[in-house]
Amino acid sequence: MALPNKPKGELKAVKDPEVVEKEVDILIVGGGMAACGTAFEIKKWLQPDQTVLLVDKAALERSGAVAQGLSAINTYIGENSPDDYVRMVRNDLMGLVREDLIFDLGCHVDDSVWLFEEWGLPIWKKDEAGKNLDGKKGQKMGTLKAGGKPVRTGKWQIMINGESYKRIVAEAAKKAIGDTNILERVFIVELFLDKSKPNQIAGAAGFSVRENKVYIIKCKTCMIACGGAVNIYQPRSVGEGKGRAWYPVWNSGSTYYLGAKVGAELSMMENRFTPARFKDGYGPVGAWFLLFKAKTLNGLGENFAGSEAAKKELQKYAPYGTAAVTPTCLRNHLMLFEMKEGRGPIMMENTEPEKKNSEVMPTEPYLLGSHSGCCGFWVSGPDLDWIPASYKIKAANGKVYNRMTTVDGLFTSGDGVGCSGHKFSSGSHAEGRMAAKQMVRYAKDNASFKPELAMTKDQIVDLVYKPVRTYLQFAAYTTADDINPNYMKPNGMMYRMMKATHEYGAGTATYYQTSSKNLEVVMEMLAWMREDCEKLAAGDLHELMRCWEIIHRIWTVESHLRHIQFRKETRYPGFYYQADHPGQDDANWFCFVNSKYDPKAAKWDVFKKDYIKLIP
Ligand code: AMP
């Protein structure tokens, strides 16, 4: 249920918060497109005796990556085929993707788009003469489901009037599971395995960012859909511009942290996304390229992307570089190539050419699995006969559950699913729905399972409120609240992390280049930071959230760099470069890279996993 806005300032944290304990069958952590998909779909399948709870750190109506709306839905299959969708994603992500997951998504995504339209989202339509009709005007051409023709920008994208996109989707989710089954403004900090059943998810703990309350929630099955990771690198927008980012600033890598900490296998965490955007404003460029057929020019006014030099450069990365549509990372690569040769800045022609062109620049790195990136968890594909055994994950009961991670009962969708990018908003919603059915099935198959946590109530409160207790113990020691020999504030830790990744971890400081030695340096720094996080201090609830967010970010970016370190090649030129391992090495690295954190031994294992081509 929504809580009122803060009357003034932040609520001071107290040493002993109220503790609320809950037990449900199905727990959904997150509130974005994927989680809303799960919440909406689950209602249809929920058994009369099953219970569900959705926990969002913000307010469902405006949370997640779609919070401020979108002008396009980037995945609508329509007249195309799911096979072709797989080929597009595979090409864009340099060959290494899970074709089972992408095909499966391609078969379901349009149904979510049809629902959005039914719920009131205006989708642009073509009239009989092929003219574009936006908003209400488009409605007279009938719905997409009834055969109305969308306004395509590229092959996969359709235009919408989407300022209220998230509100529309959230309303349907809320209505489906009911206000009383939603906890807003509650930040989940850790997941827990079962006390006695190995590798079985059993619950989560978190706190309210509006009240001094800790929540301990037991569950049989859990969805983690908390988006990707933003602000893990120093952003281009600093100082007064800080807070601007391409992806939502509140995406703190919680998806990856929460799952990894209980031992769920990650996949392709080396993949990142550094989108080319209008510089400093971060406005999307897709519609300019695709709808307006705009071109980018180098500083000399040349159309560099169409030049002979560019063609030659792209040939190095065949077959992807020479494909009909150049992969996103290689489009960046060409821009960076121009800039390094002294032919920057890169300008988008056509926005209002009679006035001034606008600069385009690749942003700081983001981690995500829903846009043109594919990091996330290794999950099970659907239990179909054409899907190889190595793409299916069997739970302890021997059954396969689509989109379940390698931890029994732990599911993910949207940004959480690895090796399957280009889902965007519609695909994330559809994937949340696909997982919902499996979660209900899992809870039903394990109806007699009684989750038990290994930690006591007091130990959990101590863990969640540790930064508050540290602050209250030592704050009086100094007059300046932020400076204290006994603790550190999350703001300072954020700058430390950003400086380290920016300079050593292939941030914008080095044109996204790193090397084995630089990676060694940054890994050591991150290990120190994790150690120092034990001394984080929070005076109010907002700061407590910042403490946990920075912990989640440090672990997430560490897993990213661990994967880059392991993969001794440069799979995604334009997203990152390894100076001592330039170019692609298909003979050794045409495979997935997976990693697993062992929660008992507190050790990481990074290893290769076979790629299997399923769609010709
Ligand atoms: P954006 O608005 O930049 O987030 O991109 C929206 C959609 O357009 C995504 O599906 C992108 O992969 C695609 N896209 C963006 N730029 C291009 C381009 N130059 N060529 C082909 N597809 C693009």
Side-chain angles (χ1 to χ4, degrees):
M1 291 247 282
L3 288 167
N5 277 336
K6 294 173 264 193
K8 62 175 172 200
E10 298 297 339
L11 191 68
K12 294 280 172 233
V14 300
K15 183 168 166 280
D16 294 305
E18 187 189 327
V19 183
V20 183
E21 290 183 86
K22 287 180 178 280
E23 185 166 342
V24 290
D25 292 297
I26 298 159
L27 174 64
I28 306 167
V29 183
M33 291 299 284
C36 281
T38 307
F40 167 76
E41 187 70 24
I42 218 150
K43 184 65 199 307
K44 289 190 249 168
W45 306 95
L46 210 63
Q47 306 296 300
D49 57 340
Q50 285 181 327
T51 49
V52 60
L53 179 71
L54 181 147
V55 183
D56 186 357
K57 85 172 181 186
L60 219 59
E61 203 173 276
R62 286 282 179 193
S63 61
V66 181
Q68 64 187 13
L70 291 174
S71 58
I73 288 177
N74 287 336
T75 307
Y76 180 67
I77 304 289
E79 66 283 16
N80 301 301
S81 71
D83 296 44
D84 238 8
Y85 172 60
V86 172
R87 287 184 202 105
M88 178 275 288
V89 181
R90 182 170 67 199
N91 182 67
D92 197 71
L93 290 163
M94 310 301 276
L96 290 173
V97 288
R98 281 276 303 273
E99 300 177 13
D100 58 329
L101 301 175
I102 301 167
F103 181 85
D104 191 26
L105 191 103
C107 294
H108 292 89
V109 61
D110 287 5
D111 195 69
S112 275
V113 179
W114 296 337
L115 283 175
F116 303 154
E117 188 168 33
E118 189 186 314
W119 297 336
L121 179 73
I123 295 181
W124 294 22
K125 300 280 163 45
K126 286 271 183 207
D127 72 5
E128 297 84 354
K131 201 170 151 247
N132 296 346
L133 301 176
D134 81 322
K136 282 204 166 156
K137 284 174 267 157
Q139 284 173 354
K140 68 170 192 277
M141 300 311 296
T143 61
L144 286 182
K145 197 172 178 179
K149 298 264 171 304
V151 175
R152 287 282 193 193
T153 48
K155 187 168 173 180
W156 307 99
Q157 304 82 356
I158 60 173
M159 295 299 288
I160 59 172
N161 292 72
E163 192 281 336
S164 301
Y165 187 5
K166 181 63 202 308
R167 299 189 67 163
I168 290 167
V169 170
E171 187 183 33
K174 276 192 171 180
K175 217 170 155 208
I177 63 167
D179 258 353
T180 48
N181 296 318
I182 299 174
L183 273 179
E184 291 183 325
R185 312 262 181 220
V186 171
F187 186 87
I188 295 296
V189 308
E190 296 280 357
L191 298 184
F192 301 115
L193 292 175
D194 189 67
K195 191 175 169 180
S196 41
K197 217 174 157 198
N199 195 40
Q200 163 69 52
I201 203 69
F207 62 94
S208 167
V209 296
R210 288 284 199 274
E211 301 168 293
N212 272 291
K213 273 188 190 169
V214 164
Y215 285 87
I216 303 173
I217 307 156
K218 287 190 208 163
C219 63
K220 290 187 173 69
T221 171
C222 173
M223 154 69 62
I224 27 168
C226 308
V230 178
N231 277 342
I232 42 170
Y233 280 78
Q234 182 171 296
R236 289 196 186 273
S237 297
V238 292
E240 56 81 36
K242 193 153 187 298
R244 274 191 199 170
W246 163 69
Y247 216 44
V249 281
W250 46 83
N251 275 9
S252 52
S254 299
T255 304
Y256 311 122
Y257 173 86
L258 293 172
K261 273 295 286 298
V262 289
E265 209 169 295
L266 290 159
S267 191
M268 300 307 280
M269 286 305 286
E270 62 273 39
N271 179 275
R272 53 160 69 170
F273 187 34
T274 62
R277 298 286 117 167
F278 288 112
K279 187 167 182 294
D280 300 335
Y282 293 92
V285 299
W288 269 259
F289 282 128
L290 303 176
L291 185 65
F292 307 137
K293 317 291 177 221
K295 300 250 175 310
T296 39
L297 307 177
N298 68 15
L300 306 178
E302 298 162 342
N303 176 10
F304 64 93
S307 71
E308 283 309 309
K311 274 189 205 140
K312 220 170 128 200
E313 186 59 27
L314 289 175
Q315 265 161 14
K316 289 185 196 163
Y317 305 103
Y320 321 107
T322 52
V325 179
T326 308
T328 310
C329 67
L330 293 180
R331 296 202 298 269
N332 277 10
H333 174 67
L334 292 181
M335 287 175 64
L336 294 165
F337 184 70
E338 291 298 299
M339 288 191 263
K340 286 188 211 167
E341 295 286 313
R343 293 191 295 268
I346 306 300
M347 306 298 282
M348 173 80 82
E349 200 188 22
N350 254 359
T351 44
E352 266 191 296
E354 72 283 11
K355 291 186 184 153
K356 200 171 188 286
N357 287 335
S358 302
E359 190 176 344
V360 177
M361 177 69 115
T363 64
E364 58 282 351
Y366 298 88
L367 299 181
L368 45 80
S370 68
H371 200 284
S372 310
C374 65
C375 73
F377 289 100
W378 183 258
V379 299
S380 183
D383 198 10
L384 302 171
D385 57 5
W386 57 273
I387 295 184
S390 62
Y391 281 1
K392 293 179 189 173
I393 296 169
K394 279 200 177 132
N397 62 8
K399 293 189 185 176
V400 172
Y401 298 91
N402 195 1
R403 265 62 177 187
M404 192 181 83
T405 67
T406 57
V407 170
D408 281 5
L410 182 63
F411 290 76
T412 188
S413 49
D415 281 321
V417 173
C419 321
S420 153
H422 286 267
K423 285 173 267 206
F424 300 100
S425 58
S426 50
S428 298
H429 189 267
E431 194 165 48
R433 293 174 62 200
M434 287 147 77
K437 283 170 79 170
Q438 301 293 319
M439 293 176 78
V440 170
R441 193 177 139 236
Y442 186 91
K444 200 171 157 215
D445 290 347
N446 293 279
S448 60
F449 165 57
K450 194 96 192 79
E452 291 291 344
L453 308 185
M455 286 170 86
T456 65
K457 183 169 124 179
D458 284 351
Q459 284 170 332
I460 292 175
V461 175
D462 202 38
L463 170 84
V464 178
Y465 258 53
K466 187 174 176 186
V468 173
R469 291 178 173 175
T470 302
Y471 175 81
L472 294 175
Q473 188 182 352
F474 297 113
Y477 190 78
T478 56
T479 50
D481 203 50
D482 288 353
I483 303 164
N484 196 303
N486 300 296
Y487 64 63
M488 57 203 347
K489 288 294 189 79
N491 200 43
M493 187 56 90
M494 175 193 72
Y495 284 116
R496 250 175 91 179
M497 177 198 64
M498 283 180 176
K499 182 170 162 55
T501 52
H502 183 55
E503 293 178 352
Y504 297 99
T508 57
T510 56
Y511 273 125
Y512 312 105
Q513 182 164 291
T514 185
S515 66
S516 305
K517 275 287 155 204
N518 280 300
L519 287 169
E520 270 175 37
V521 173
V522 68
M523 293 307 275
E524 188 177 33
M525 286 173 151
L526 288 166
W528 289 335
M529 281 178 231
R530 269 194 286 110
E531 207 178 301
D532 288 349
C533 279
E534 298 290 323
K535 301 263 187 211
L536 281 171
D540 59 51
L541 294 179
H542 187 72
E543 217 165 41
L544 183 59
M545 180 176 73
R546 289 280 181 260
C547 287
W548 277 105
E549 283 179 342
I550 194 67
I551 293 170
H552 290 190
R553 285 189 162 104
I554 289 171
W555 278 74
T556 298
V557 79
E558 188 176 323
S559 71
H560 171 56
L561 294 168
R562 208 175 276 283
H563 275 235
I564 290 186
Q565 206 171 24
F566 184 80
R567 182 182 280 282
K568 306 249 180 289
E569 61 155 5
T570 297
R571 173 67 31 188
Y572 309 105
F575 286 168
Y576 75 82
Y577 302 88
Q578 298 212 69
D580 42 356
H581 301 292
Q584 291 163 356
D585 173 7
D586 279 358
N588 292 301
W589 292 102
F590 202 74
C591 59
F592 301 112
V593 168
N594 285 16
S595 67
K596 184 180 164 16
Y597 176 75
D598 178 344
K600 275 207 180 112
K603 282 218 168 77
W604 283 96
D605 188 16
V606 192
F607 47 94
K608 291 183 180 183
K609 200 109 180 178
D610 286 342
Y611 158 80
I612 301 166
K613 190 168 183 167
L614 300 173
I615 309 275

